[in-house]
Amino acid sequence: RMIEVSGKLKTNAVLDLLKESPGTALLFVRTQMSTERISDALIEYGVEATPIHGGLSQGQRKRALQSFREQRTRVLV
């Protein structure tokens, strides 16, 4: 399912969608800073979220993907 949300509404929209649907989710955002900010906010709400972006090392990106594949992370941002 895809929805387009702007600005500060993203975190609440994602939380609402996660309540509706079990399983994992991919969340696409525009910037590295947004990736970090939204994944941190989700973690504060108790959601297993992991950021992945070009500012991370190759090892960090691999670990993020592996965690998502193994469903230890519910949301990959």
Side-chain angles (χ1 to χ4, degrees), residues 15-73:
L15 290 170
D16 290 343
L17 285 172
L18 291 173
K19 288 177 187 174
E20 293 175 13
S21 306
T24 58
L26 290 172
L27 179 59
F28 294 92
V29 297
R30 192 175 304 215
T31 66
Q32 290 179 15
M33 186 179 289
S34 294
T35 301
E36 292 291 337
R37 189 180 70 246
I38 292 172
S39 62
D40 289 345
L42 291 173
I43 291 167
E44 285 182 26
Y45 282 101
V47 176
E48 299 88 8
T50 302
I52 187 168
H53 55 73
L56 300 175
S57 70
Q58 183 64 29
Q60 290 171 311
R61 291 191 303 266
K62 281 184 176 182
R63 284 189 295 279
L65 288 172
Q66 187 65 31
S67 177
F68 188 70
R69 276 190 211 107
E70 294 173 355
Q71 295 184 355
R72 288 182 284 130
T73 294

